[in-house]
Amino acid sequence: MKSRLSPILIWGITAVTGLVAAFVLWLGWPAGAAELPTGTSQVEVQFIEDELTTSAPTGQKDGWFGGLSSPCDFDSWYVEYAGKAECVTIGERAGTITVTSTGKRIELPADARKSITAWAVAEAAGTPPPARALLVRDGEPVGIVAVADPATATPVG
């Protein structure tokens, strides 16, 4: 008796199954926290809307498929920093600055501090200025800086 499945069909099914398995593993692979490389980097500044920010449980992006789930709404970013987590809502991109990273420390030079302060005042337009800004590199949050004292930023992750 002859087999009903041809060898080409068997190889085709095996190849498709392998590709689907590889895609699922790639999609679900736990991603590490975004970090700045040591030295200088360009980052975008986006002000955090504190009145729309809510607390979140830590560790929501850990493990398999953690990147697919989020405790936040569709219009907020899940950010872990300094041992806590928040769902932050951000405004429009304010501008780009240069920062210096030395391990777990992000320092802002004087011109970057002046830019953040000026952008915060311009963003306020008669309302209280934003208190914090999110630093973003390549679409990933890397730090949070207090507008009142923008000398250093707290790394995200």
Side-chain angles (χ1 to χ4, degrees):
M1 214 181 218
K2 198 170 187 183
S3 173
R4 298 173 105 181
L5 297 175
S6 73
I8 294 174
L9 183 58
I10 292 171
W11 279 106
I13 291 171
T14 303
V16 168
T17 303
L19 287 173
V20 168
F23 178 72
V24 168
L25 287 174
W26 171 77
L27 190 63
W29 198 263
E35 290 184 10
L36 287 173
T38 301
T40 60
S41 298
Q42 295 282 342
V43 295
E44 294 179 9
V45 176
Q46 295 177 297
F47 291 107
I48 297 173
E49 297 179 13
D50 282 319
E51 64 277 358
L52 300 176
T53 296
T54 58
S55 294
T58 58
Q60 292 298 303
K61 296 290 185 177
D62 297 343
W64 293 90
F65 301 105
L68 298 177
S69 64
S70 178
C72 304
D73 296 336
F74 67 92
D75 63 345
S76 58
W77 291 31
Y78 176 80
V79 178
E80 284 189 27
Y81 69 100
K84 61 183 177 178
E86 293 181 333
C87 293
V88 298
T89 302
I90 55 175
E92 295 293 318
R93 180 181 163 278
T96 302
I97 60 170
T98 301
V99 297
T100 304
S101 176
T102 55
K104 292 287 184 184
R105 186 174 172 90
I106 302 172
E107 297 179 3
L108 286 74
D111 60 336
R113 289 181 239 163
K114 288 179 187 175
S115 295
I116 288 177
T117 304
W119 293 330
V121 170
E123 173 123 348
T127 63
R132 299 178 302 157
L134 185 66
L135 304 180
V136 179
R137 181 171 186 255
D138 297 331
E140 292 292 324
V142 293
I144 292 183
V145 63
V147 173
D149 183 24
T152 61
T154 304
V156 169

